[in-house]
């Protein structure tokens, strides 16, 4: 009798902002992107979040780097050793990071099929995609179905971002088309999105309160009458996210679920302290 093929493993990177219990529940492997803070260089999960926020505010250089190829190789090998028949590895936009290229290089060194996907996005748009893929894999879906689940989710999701300042995006070289907003008065707050794999401008709003109101309005418009999951992502402790969550629940009767997550420190290093994002993801 022929043995049944093993399950498909799902792997992503730490910019997916997946809460650890979610990754553990669905067996999602998370490869850590790297941070350099001053002279210290390490995987992002080995840093203290509050320390990183303090360093950013103090003007300490904080840089990011993709995982080493070896980190992906060992993640893939671990999945293979546990009986995976194939791997779907879904990652941050290749226009924002070399992470996906490191995964592709490692994939060539593994003896089972590894399908590396450039999501064209990051944050919980990536996190929702990885989770949907893992659920299909857990149900016994073949690699093609797992890939379809990931692609459907990251193509349909939308990131809407509030930042206190564009300075951190400028420093990190990730400002993209949002560069058009540089030079705005301090009181003008930019709202951003991800488009064509990079940061893009949405609008500018005078004052923090109005900008956050507009953030909610844009998320509601984006959701429309679809069934959606919502993620509110913050970088640093903030009571505003609770208010935003309550307002979204009141205005989105077809919201299937909502979650509050801490931004990856990699994303936080580029967006800066006080950044808040809303992910709208049709289900």
């Amino acid at each position: 009798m022929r043995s049944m093929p093993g399950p498909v493993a799902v792997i992503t990177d730490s910019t997916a902002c997946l809460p650890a219990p979610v990754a553990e529940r669905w067996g999602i492997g998370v490869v850590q992107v790297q941070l350099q803070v001053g002279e210290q260089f390490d995987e992002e999960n080995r840093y203290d979040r509050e320390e990183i926020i303090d360093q950013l505010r103090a003007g300490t250089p904080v840089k990011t780097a993709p995982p080493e190829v070896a980190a992906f190789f060992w993640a893939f090998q671990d999945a293979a050793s546990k009986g995976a028949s194939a791997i779907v590895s879904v990652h941050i936009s290749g226009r924002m990071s070399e992470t996906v290229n490191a995964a592709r290089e490692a994939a060539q060194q593994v003896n089972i099929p590894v399908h590396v996907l450039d999501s064209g996005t990051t944050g919980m748009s990536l996190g929702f995609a990885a989770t949907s893929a893992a659920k299909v894999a857990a149900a016994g879906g073949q690699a093609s179905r797992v890939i379809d689940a990931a692609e459907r989710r990251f193509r349909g999701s939308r990131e809407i971002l509030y930042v206190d300042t564009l300075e951190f995006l400028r420093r990190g070289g990730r400002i993209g088309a949002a560069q058009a907003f540089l030079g705005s008065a301090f009181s003008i707050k930019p709202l951003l999105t991800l488009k064509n794999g990079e940061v893009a401008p949405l609008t500018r709003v005078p004052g923090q309160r109005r900008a956050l109101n507009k953030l909610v309005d844009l998320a509601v418009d984006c959701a429309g009458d679809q069934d959606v999951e919502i993620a509110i992502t913050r970088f640093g402790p903030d009571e505003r996210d609770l208010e935003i969550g309550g307002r979204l629940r009141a205005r989105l009767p077809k919201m299937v679920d909502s979650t509050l997550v801490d931004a990856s420190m990699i994303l936080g290093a580029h967006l800066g302290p006080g950044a808040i994002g809303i992910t709208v993801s049709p289900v």
Side-chain angles (χ1 to χ4, degrees):
M1 180 181 295
R2 292 176 58 186
S3 61
M4 294 293 292
V8 176
V10 175
I11 290 174
T12 189
D13 60 74
S14 54
T15 71
C17 304
L18 278 177
V22 175
E24 291 169 6
R25 177 182 178 185
W26 295 107
I28 302 168
V30 180
V31 176
Q32 298 293 314
V33 183
Q34 301 181 96
L35 269 178
Q36 181 175 350
V37 183
E39 298 300 316
Q40 183 181 357
F41 188 78
D42 212 333
E43 295 179 343
E44 74 158 300
N45 64 342
R46 295 181 180 172
Y47 287 92
D48 177 77
R49 180 176 300 274
E50 292 304 315
E51 179 185 347
I52 295 298
I53 291 172
D54 290 344
Q55 296 282 9
L56 286 167
R57 286 178 170 150
T60 302
V62 178
K63 300 179 181 179
T64 64
E68 300 288 345
V69 173
F72 278 112
F73 173 78
W74 289 114
F76 296 160
Q77 283 291 90
D78 182 59
S81 70
K82 291 177 180 177
S85 59
I87 297 169
V88 173
S89 194
V90 55
H91 299 293
I92 180 175
S93 167
R95 299 188 69 175
M96 301 177 72
S97 171
E98 290 293 320
T99 295
V100 71
N101 290 331
R104 286 170 176 151
E105 185 174 341
Q108 298 174 8
Q109 305 171 34
V110 183
N111 291 328
I112 62 173
V114 180
H115 308 273
V116 180
L117 308 182
D118 181 343
S119 72
T121 187
T122 190
M124 279 299 293
S125 290
L126 174 57
F128 282 136
T131 304
S132 288
K135 289 178 180 179
V136 172
Q142 296 181 346
S144 60
R145 290 190 57 217
V146 175
I147 292 168
D148 286 346
E151 290 182 338
R152 180 183 63 82
R153 205 69 189 272
F154 64 62
R155 288 174 179 166
S157 296
R158 179 89 177 272
E159 294 286 335
I160 307 169
L161 306 168
Y162 163 88
V163 294
D164 277 332
T165 172
L166 292 169
E167 176 61 19
F168 297 99
L169 281 165
R170 185 195 64 78
R171 288 182 196 173
R174 302 300 197 280
I175 196 165
Q179 184 167 339
F181 281 178
L182 284 174
S184 298
F186 181 75
S187 61
I188 300 296
K189 300 298 182 182
L191 297 179
L192 310 170
T193 190
L194 298 178
K195 185 177 181 180
N196 299 324
E198 63 180 6
V199 176
L202 276 176
T203 188
R204 291 173 286 191
V205 183
Q208 182 187 96
R209 171 57 60 181
R210 290 182 181 179
L212 292 174
N213 289 342
K214 186 65 172 178
L215 182 76
V216 172
D217 290 343
L218 289 169
V220 171
D221 289 345
C222 184
D225 62 356
Q226 304 173 93
D227 292 331
V228 295
E229 283 188 277
I230 296 287
I232 302 169
T233 307
R234 63 184 183 182
F235 188 51
D238 201 322
E239 294 182 357
R240 298 174 299 178
D241 45 46
L242 298 176
E243 178 187 348
I244 289 170
R247 293 172 62 190
L248 288 170
R249 283 190 292 274
R251 295 180 62 183
L252 292 175
K254 298 188 75 174
M255 183 169 68
V256 175
D257 196 11
S258 66
T259 185
L260 173 64
V261 300
D262 288 315
S264 156
M265 284 182 271
I266 299 298
L267 300 184
H270 292 298
L271 298 175
I276 295 178
I278 300 176
T279 306
V280 181
S281 187
V283 296

